[in-house]
Amino acid sequence: MMRLYVAGQSARSLAAIANLRKICDTHMPGRCTIEVIDLMRNPELAKADQIVAIPTLVRKLPIPVRRIIGDLSATDKVLMSLELTVV
């Protein structure tokens, strides 16, 4: 389960969404649930996951929780942070 916090339709937000979808489709097909949370519309939701920068990806499951800040364009680093192997 992945939760991506973004701010509206900014270039970095759109890039993060596209990069996360590509990573999930390529490396975790059918095993990944993505929830995109726009903090421009729901700023109160940032508190629950202690979001201090955006875009931020929070992997809730499997535990332990992982956080990645940025547009997720460095695929190898994202995969390593999520403890996934490069396919």
Side-chain angles (χ1 to χ4, degrees):
M1 183 176 139
M2 309 268 190
R3 187 173 285 165
L4 181 62
Y5 290 89
V6 298
Q9 298 293 310
S10 71
R12 285 180 53 88
S13 294
L14 295 175
I17 293 167
N19 289 333
L20 180 57
R21 287 194 174 130
K22 181 179 176 184
I23 289 168
C24 287
D25 290 347
T26 303
H27 300 281
M28 300 174 281
R31 302 181 326 189
C32 184
T33 301
I34 301 171
E35 179 182 5
V36 178
I37 297 175
D38 185 349
L39 294 178
M40 298 293 280
R41 293 182 182 181
N42 300 301
E44 69 281 357
L45 296 178
K47 187 175 182 179
D49 280 321
Q50 302 172 348
I51 303 303
V52 295
I54 45 177
T56 296
L57 174 65
V58 178
R59 185 194 72 185
K60 298 291 228 170
L61 294 172
I63 53 176
V65 173
R66 300 274 186 213
R67 287 175 173 63
I68 303 171
I69 297 171
D71 67 5
L72 310 175
S73 59
T75 303
D76 290 343
K77 289 181 182 180
V78 172
L79 292 173
M80 193 167 70
S81 295
L82 296 176
E83 299 177 336
L84 298 171
T85 57
V86 179
V87 177

